[in-house]
Amino acid sequence: MNRSDLSALSAFPTDLPNWPLELIEQRLSPDFHGDFTKWQQAIAQLPDNLAVTVSPGDTVHLELQTDVDLVPPLRELRPWRKGPFQFGDVFIDSEWRSDWKWQRLAAQIDLAGQRVLDVGCGNGYFGWRMLQAGAREVIGVDPTLLFCMQHRAVQHFASDHRNWVLPLGIEELPQQPLFDAVFSMGVIYHRRDPQAHVVELRNHLRAGGQLILESIVSPGERGFKPQNRYARMRNVWWIPSVAELTHWLAAAGLSDIQCLDVCKTTVQEQRSTPWMTFESLADCLDPEAPDKTVEGYPAPQRAVMLAHL
């Protein structure tokens, strides 16, 4: 099996029973997405048999030396939303400075020896940071197949089966309490029933486990439902307040609830780059009143919540 070809799932943990491995195989195929072959061919252009060291700092750095130009195949995997990454001398300046988000929460959580579920994980950037923080294994799920392919490009060199990115939504997972920590970052406001999402997350936690929940939040005591769009996003169903997140976590049976951080999202943290050339946060704010979105809602600020089962 090619090191980048995780579709065979031969190394998937055997102590995670009833996971839909056949469904994952089906989605990692040209039948599921019209661009799959293009992405697969891009990964096939990456050189094999290189001695690689993965340094998962603020930039996840794949330390490698090659005469092959890595830019063309990696460009075929755009847009890179989460990062940054560095493949040899190629720096991927992702849309999000995901390292800034990680810095805001990393010092306040303990992942030593833990098995982590990361819901809506994107391309696995945070999985590398979780391993750096001492996690023993990270199972990431995200239904966007491109993000899974970006992760496969990293794994082409890293070949580290402690960090998985699988093309699944949380509703497709067996709800079994098998994880010491569950992360949901930037997901809950996309769910039609956000309270049910908290319960789903709770159901994957072992007794004593921790839930890290990150969301855009309303500045008031109560959240709001955007009409049509929020910051040009179509699928935003509810922007909760910190008080509502706290209530939902308590109602789901979680305790020791803390708000670890609240901060405004800036155009320095989320922006267009050569590796993500579409519109970004600056295009979604009112140019005359940048404290509001183009629709007139409060501009994004994000909160990180921590709770225990």
Side-chain angles (χ1 to χ4, degrees):
M1 182 178 70
N2 185 287
R3 288 188 302 165
S4 67
D5 184 9
L6 299 186
S7 62
L9 298 171
S10 59
F12 192 74
T14 57
D15 59 340
L16 287 176
N18 303 319
W19 274 59
L21 302 187
E22 183 175 341
L23 179 60
I24 296 167
E25 291 272 11
Q26 292 171 1
R27 290 182 177 171
L28 290 169
S29 74
D31 295 333
F32 182 71
H33 197 291
D35 286 330
F36 179 83
T37 298
K38 179 187 74 171
W39 296 331
Q40 192 175 45
Q41 289 171 348
I43 294 171
Q45 294 175 40
L46 300 174
D48 289 321
N49 302 318
L50 298 180
V52 177
T53 300
V54 182
S55 300
D58 287 346
T59 297
V60 175
H61 189 185
L62 299 163
E63 300 177 19
L64 57 94
Q65 292 184 342
T66 176
D67 294 330
V68 175
D69 184 0
L70 301 180
V71 171
L74 294 175
R75 278 182 176 163
E76 288 296 312
L77 300 176
R78 290 184 299 181
W80 289 79
R81 300 280 185 180
K82 294 183 180 180
F85 290 89
Q86 182 144 354
F87 290 74
D89 61 0
V90 178
F91 179 66
I92 294 183
D93 189 12
S94 54
E95 176 189 17
W96 279 93
R97 287 294 306 267
S98 303
D99 52 318
W100 293 8
K101 182 182 293 188
W102 185 250
Q103 289 165 8
R104 290 194 286 267
L105 65 91
Q108 304 185 73
I109 58 174
D110 181 8
L111 296 180
Q114 299 202 346
R115 168 177 274 169
V116 178
L117 174 65
D118 187 3
V119 177
C121 64
N123 59 23
Y125 170 86
F126 289 114
W128 299 110
R129 303 309 304 273
M130 293 169 192
L131 292 178
Q132 181 191 28
R136 64 181 173 89
E137 184 177 63
V138 181
I139 309 295
V141 295
D142 197 300
T144 302
L145 188 57
L146 173 60
F147 300 156
C148 301
M149 300 302 285
Q150 290 173 355
H151 180 68
R152 291 178 70 185
V154 178
Q155 286 284 33
H156 178 88
F157 298 112
S159 192
D160 188 337
H161 293 304
R162 297 176 301 158
N163 185 13
W164 291 82
V165 173
L166 304 172
L168 297 170
I170 186 174
E171 65 280 356
E172 296 169 316
L173 308 184
Q175 293 203 18
Q176 300 165 323
L178 298 176
F179 293 90
D180 306 296
V182 173
F183 283 74
S184 172
M185 298 194 289
V187 176
I188 192 167
Y189 46 86
H190 292 307
R191 308 297 291 186
R192 290 177 181 269
D193 188 340
Q195 289 182 268
H197 180 64
V198 175
V199 173
E200 282 183 311
L201 298 169
R202 188 276 320 274
N203 289 344
H204 291 282
L205 275 177
R206 291 175 172 151
Q210 59 184 330
L211 172 60
I212 296 88
L213 179 63
E214 190 263 1
S215 177
I216 299 173
V217 291
S218 165
E221 284 296 307
R222 178 167 170 76
F224 60 90
K225 179 178 176 59
Q227 298 299 313
N228 192 19
R229 296 190 184 194
Y230 173 82
R232 299 194 188 277
M233 292 185 288
R234 292 187 181 89
N235 59 336
V236 176
W237 300 99
W238 187 261
I239 302 292
S241 66
V242 170
E244 285 175 323
L245 290 174
T246 302
H247 173 73
W248 295 343
L249 290 163
L254 295 146
S255 60
D256 189 23
I257 301 165
Q258 305 172 60
C259 180
L260 301 182
D261 183 79
V262 179
C263 71
K264 179 182 177 181
T265 304
T266 68
V267 294
Q268 290 76 40
E269 184 172 357
Q270 184 189 15
R271 70 274 192 267
S272 300
T273 77
W275 293 91
M276 204 301 293
T277 57
F278 303 110
E279 68 180 15
S280 191
L281 180 60
D283 305 291
C284 303
L285 301 179
D286 184 337
E288 302 298 325
D291 61 335
K292 296 185 180 298
T293 69
V294 292
E295 301 87 3
Y297 298 114
Q301 63 176 1
R302 307 183 77 94
V304 181
M305 308 295 295
L306 171 66
H308 292 83
L309 183 60

